[in-house]
Amino acid sequence: MSFRGRLLLFFTIIVVIPMIAVAVVLFHLTGDSETGKADAEIAQGMRSAFAIYDDKRDDARDPLDAVAGDAELGRLLAHPSKPAAIKHRLRELAREHPTVVAIGAYGADREQLARTGARDAVASEVASPSTAKGKRLGFVAVSTTHARDYAREVKRLTSFDVRMTADGRLIASTVGRRRGSAELESGDTTIAGEQYRGRVATLPQVVGPPIQLAVFEKGADIDTAIRNSRLLIGSILAAFLLLALASSVVVVRALQGQVEQFLHAARRLAHGDFSEPVPVEGADEFAALGTEFNLMSRQLASKIDEVERKRGELEETIRRVGDAFAAGLDREGIVNLTLRTAVEACEAETGRALPIDARRMRSARVGDSTPELEAALEAAERAAFAVDPQTGPNWLASLEGSTGDDSPTEQHRPSKAVVDDVYALAAPLVGRLGTSSTIEQVGVVSIARAERPFDEQEYELFAYLTGQAAVSIENVDLHETVRLQAVTDELTGLYNRNHFQDTLDSEIERSRRFGTDVGVVMLDIDDFKQVNDTYGHPQGDIVLVEVGRVLRELSRDIDEPARYGGEELAVILPQTDLNGAELLAERMRSAIADLQIKRTDGGGELQVTASFGVASLPACANDRESLIAEADAALYRAKRAGKNRVVRGEPVAAEG
């Protein structure tokens, strides 16, 4: 087989066949990726639907207050043996409030006593009326939203189709017929002859039958996305294959011409002193080239060229390693890899990494440890942090913090030291760290060896590796900062509502697994709207920040204080029963009442109070929704009882 034929066969083996395999794998992964993307979008749509549902429940709060506070209804609920009279009163109250779609009355055991209004009413807000002595009279639920209107609103805002069921019947749908099947399924399903992919969840209901909500995306849209992605991948692979084929033809022709040139040159050199023959098999161009060049195979120049080529490949590999760990998120692994690579690449006998900030870097050691090596390392490390007229401005900028722009952090050059014929290099690691992008000193990396100084290539390679390590530590800090910001409230620094919900789910699961309690504290700043209206929203923000600070200071390390929404805050109390939750809430209430908050208009100080509702699982509830609802109901009772107090949830509510 000719030289050209061998290269073409080699091209087919290493390019064409792997590209076919890659195409098959990528096509399969594309389908999974687009399906996963669709599931993520559907999950986001479901979260949006829940947020819209909460807004609709908030719309029912004002009429609920009027209905729940109705004296006649309270008298009837105190003697629930007359459901007809209760229903009659509910109808009268519904006519008094035009925005009300449905009203329901329930006993203390959450069984329905009477109901009036639309059957497809959803997003009910619930209150628990009580007598003057504090005895609960059951529950009153008020809705201002039809299921069909809610479904249309969700579709308008999220572009997803919606189906809803309640009590085994379909009550709303933006796809198919209302008289269709009431069964809702997650994943792939068929509705009205079309393929959809969806997700099903239960909307929060304190009383009444559970409401199932399903959010769907058309399967045709997902198939189109998969098809377009595969078309793009196929086009790119085909273009790459054509480019590789064209390049191979050019390379084959160039190599063949070079081989012929080498053959002529070898024949000319064969007349010199390079006359040591070696066995050669075959009769192709490579065999002829080998016959002519075997005469000079042991020459020193060839060996030097080979060594240099290998060294160049090693340096390139090390630089690629540096680029790779610059994107890593493991500080300890990055520092260890930097140190090991520097010692091996620079042929050092020892190396170490010492932290300045133990939070962002740990110490590490590679190689031998002798007094001579240690002395050289220490001398280089001291030189790395020495201040002179040339390095002074840079160190001053580092100590003062941010440089004021987004340019890459300039790394300090490594310092050299020699002690008793032992040579050492040390490089300080600096980077923009923290939310304010402050330039900070993180640590120092140093290497040493005896009797032979480091050359310029080794010096530059060491500078490159330590610089990449500093960049990687910056990336780790940025990643951690972004991750923390994603779960905290920007104003108060407390956890946000999403993190609160996720953490409460985890703590409830842990509670069930290990048989422990979970407490929840819900609090609302009293007359907060009046603070905003009187002194302005900046004053309200200061109040929220100060109340949030109180929650953080009085919470244990395992507690999770969060901003639940607006002026409503919450605290998750792992391994805490109802009594413990009440005691902690009382301490928080007292601390808030003692706050002296400076007024923004300079007119003195402002005092605020907060009302608290506490509940615990399993004493007051069986799941997350009922636990939050019970704490919220207790908070509502605290408000009605005069504010600035703590009210605990009632275990009776969890037994129904």
Side-chain angles (χ1 to χ4, degrees):
M1 183 180 292
S2 67
F3 175 62
R4 178 178 295 181
R6 291 181 180 181
L7 285 179
L8 290 176
L9 177 61
F10 182 69
F11 171 82
T12 302
I13 294 174
I14 69 169
V15 176
V16 177
I17 295 176
M19 283 190 63
I20 294 175
V22 168
V24 172
V25 172
L26 287 178
F27 281 5
H28 178 73
L29 292 178
T30 297
D32 294 342
S33 175
E34 292 297 335
T35 301
K37 186 187 298 183
D39 289 340
E41 292 173 352
I42 292 170
Q44 179 60 39
M46 181 65 75
R47 288 192 289 271
S48 299
F50 269 68
I52 295 170
Y53 193 83
D54 289 339
D55 291 341
K56 297 298 183 182
R57 290 179 60 186
D58 290 340
D59 293 342
R61 183 166 294 177
D62 290 338
L64 172 65
D65 291 340
V67 172
D70 182 74
E72 178 62 18
L73 180 60
R75 185 183 63 78
L76 293 172
L77 289 177
H79 303 86
S81 59
K82 298 179 180 181
I86 295 175
K87 185 171 184 179
H88 177 72
R89 184 53 185 167
L90 293 180
R91 288 176 178 172
E92 292 178 344
L93 291 171
R95 286 193 294 270
E96 293 175 7
H97 301 279
T99 61
V100 172
V101 172
I103 306 176
Y106 302 82
D109 57 357
R110 301 179 188 267
E111 291 295 327
Q112 180 174 303
L113 300 176
R115 188 179 186 279
T116 185
R119 295 184 63 193
D120 66 335
V122 295
S124 299
E125 186 64 80
V126 179
S128 180
S130 60
T131 64
K133 296 182 178 181
K135 179 182 179 182
R136 292 176 55 177
L137 301 177
F139 299 88
V140 175
V142 174
S143 170
T144 60
T145 305
H146 288 280
R148 62 179 181 275
D149 296 332
Y150 169 74
R152 291 169 184 165
E153 180 76 2
V154 172
K155 178 164 184 173
R156 183 179 67 83
L157 295 176
T158 67
S159 300
F160 290 110
D161 284 301
V162 174
R163 287 170 75 86
M164 301 175 67
T165 65
D167 206 15
R169 60 188 177 85
L170 189 65
I171 61 173
S173 176
T174 63
V175 59
R177 298 180 301 172
R178 278 282 303 275
R179 297 188 299 273
S181 172
E183 295 183 1
L184 301 179
E185 296 180 357
S186 296
D188 295 324
T189 185
T190 301
I191 304 175
E194 290 189 53
Q195 288 292 325
Y196 289 84
R197 186 171 184 84
R199 183 171 181 175
V200 180
T202 301
L203 291 169
Q205 288 285 107
V206 178
V207 295
I211 298 177
Q212 296 289 319
L213 170 68
V215 176
F216 298 97
E217 183 177 10
K218 287 185 178 180
D221 295 340
I222 300 175
D223 293 339
T224 300
I226 293 174
R227 185 165 54 253
N228 291 339
S229 296
R230 288 178 175 174
L231 180 61
L232 177 61
I233 291 173
S235 301
I236 294 173
L237 291 177
F240 180 81
L241 182 60
L242 291 176
L243 179 62
L245 179 60
S247 300
S248 68
V249 172
V250 174
V251 170
V252 167
R253 290 180 178 177
L255 287 178
Q256 191 171 15
Q258 291 176 353
V259 167
E260 292 176 354
Q261 292 177 1
F262 287 144
L263 181 58
H264 293 310
R267 286 173 179 170
R268 291 194 301 268
L269 293 175
H271 296 287
D273 297 329
F274 310 106
S275 58
E276 183 179 352
V278 296
V280 176
E281 298 180 357
D284 57 8
E285 293 87 350
F286 276 115
L289 184 63
T291 299
E292 300 299 333
F293 275 91
N294 271 338
L295 300 175
M296 57 179 182
S297 61
R298 296 187 180 182
Q299 296 300 315
L300 180 60
S302 296
K303 291 184 178 180
I304 293 176
D305 290 341
E306 181 67 10
V307 169
E308 290 298 322
R309 184 178 67 83
K310 293 293 185 182
R311 182 167 183 170
E313 292 177 354
L314 175 61
E315 290 183 0
E316 181 62 23
T317 300
I318 292 172
R319 293 185 182 276
R320 290 177 180 176
V321 170
D323 291 338
F325 71 65
L329 297 177
D330 179 5
R331 288 194 184 95
E332 186 174 0
I334 290 165
V335 173
N336 289 336
L337 179 59
T338 302
L339 191 58
R340 289 198 306 270
T341 306
V343 169
E344 293 174 3
C346 298
E347 299 180 355
E349 297 179 27
T350 187
R352 69 184 181 188
L354 300 178
I356 293 177
D357 187 346
R359 299 171 302 168
R360 296 185 170 97
M361 179 177 165
R362 295 184 180 180
S363 61
R365 160 76 71 173
V366 173
D368 301 327
S369 177
T370 65
E372 294 77 12
L373 292 173
E374 293 294 318
L377 289 174
E378 182 176 348
E381 290 161 357
R382 291 182 179 276
F385 290 97
V387 179
D388 55 44
Q390 293 182 345
T391 62
N394 291 335
W395 282 119
L396 181 60
S398 299
L399 294 174
E400 289 179 345
S402 176
T403 60
D405 56 34
D406 295 328
S407 59
T409 305
E410 182 178 356
Q411 297 298 322
H412 295 270
R413 301 288 291 171
S415 298
K416 301 177 182 179
V418 56
V419 178
D420 296 333
D421 206 27
V422 177
Y423 299 85
L425 299 176
L429 304 181
V430 298
R432 284 190 177 92
L433 306 174
T435 57
S436 61
S437 298
T438 300
I439 296 179
E440 298 180 18
Q441 302 170 8
V442 180
V444 60
V445 176
S446 56
I447 59 174
R449 69 185 178 199
E451 299 180 355
R452 185 162 56 96
F454 296 98
D455 60 25
E456 189 62 23
Q457 287 182 319
E458 292 169 333
Y459 178 89
E460 292 297 330
L461 186 57
F462 180 72
Y464 170 78
L465 288 172
T466 53
Q468 291 296 90
V471 171
S472 182
I473 292 174
E474 278 189 350
N475 292 339
V476 173
D477 194 85
L478 175 61
H479 172 79
E480 293 178 351
T481 300
V482 172
R483 180 176 59 83
L484 181 61
Q485 291 175 343
V487 298
T488 56
D489 174 64
E490 182 178 1
L491 175 64
T492 62
L494 303 177
Y495 290 113
N496 58 29
R497 182 167 181 162
N498 287 340
H499 182 79
F500 174 87
Q501 300 281 14
D502 294 340
T503 302
L504 185 55
D505 285 337
S506 300
E507 291 300 334
I508 290 175
E509 181 63 27
R510 185 179 294 109
S511 168
R512 290 170 176 166
R513 186 181 304 119
F514 299 105
T516 59
D517 293 328
V518 177
V520 168
V521 174
M522 303 289 289
L523 63 142
D524 188 275
I525 300 174
D526 297 328
D527 303 316
F528 184 76
K529 183 177 183 299
Q530 183 177 348
V531 172
N532 284 333
D533 293 343
T534 304
Y535 304 104
H537 288 279
Q539 182 71 66
D541 290 346
I542 295 175
V543 170
L544 283 171
V545 170
E546 289 298 312
V547 172
R549 179 181 59 80
V550 170
L551 296 191
R552 284 195 303 272
E553 291 177 352
L554 294 182
S555 295
R556 302 167 300 176
D557 291 340
I558 62 173
D559 297 337
E560 297 276 358
R563 185 179 181 184
Y564 197 74
E567 69 271 23
E568 189 171 10
L569 310 176
V571 185
I572 301 173
L573 306 174
Q575 304 175 23
T576 304
D577 59 14
L578 189 59
N579 291 331
E582 184 179 21
L583 290 174
L584 178 61
E586 181 58 32
R587 289 199 299 270
M588 291 178 175
R589 184 205 62 77
S590 178
I592 292 171
D594 291 338
L595 285 174
Q596 299 291 328
I597 303 172
K598 292 184 178 180
R599 286 170 45 179
T600 56
D601 57 6
E605 294 179 335
L606 180 69
Q607 286 186 300
V608 295
T609 61
S611 300
F612 288 74
V614 298
S616 68
L617 184 148
C620 299
N622 298 317
D623 54 25
R624 185 188 72 185
E625 288 75 14
S626 58
L627 180 59
I628 295 176
E630 187 61 31
D632 201 55
L635 171 59
Y636 179 80
R637 294 197 302 275
K639 288 284 190 181
R640 294 200 59 187
K643 306 177 183 178
N644 191 25
R645 65 192 63 220
V646 177
V647 174
R648 57 193 289 167
E650 299 185 5
V652 177
E655 299 174 358

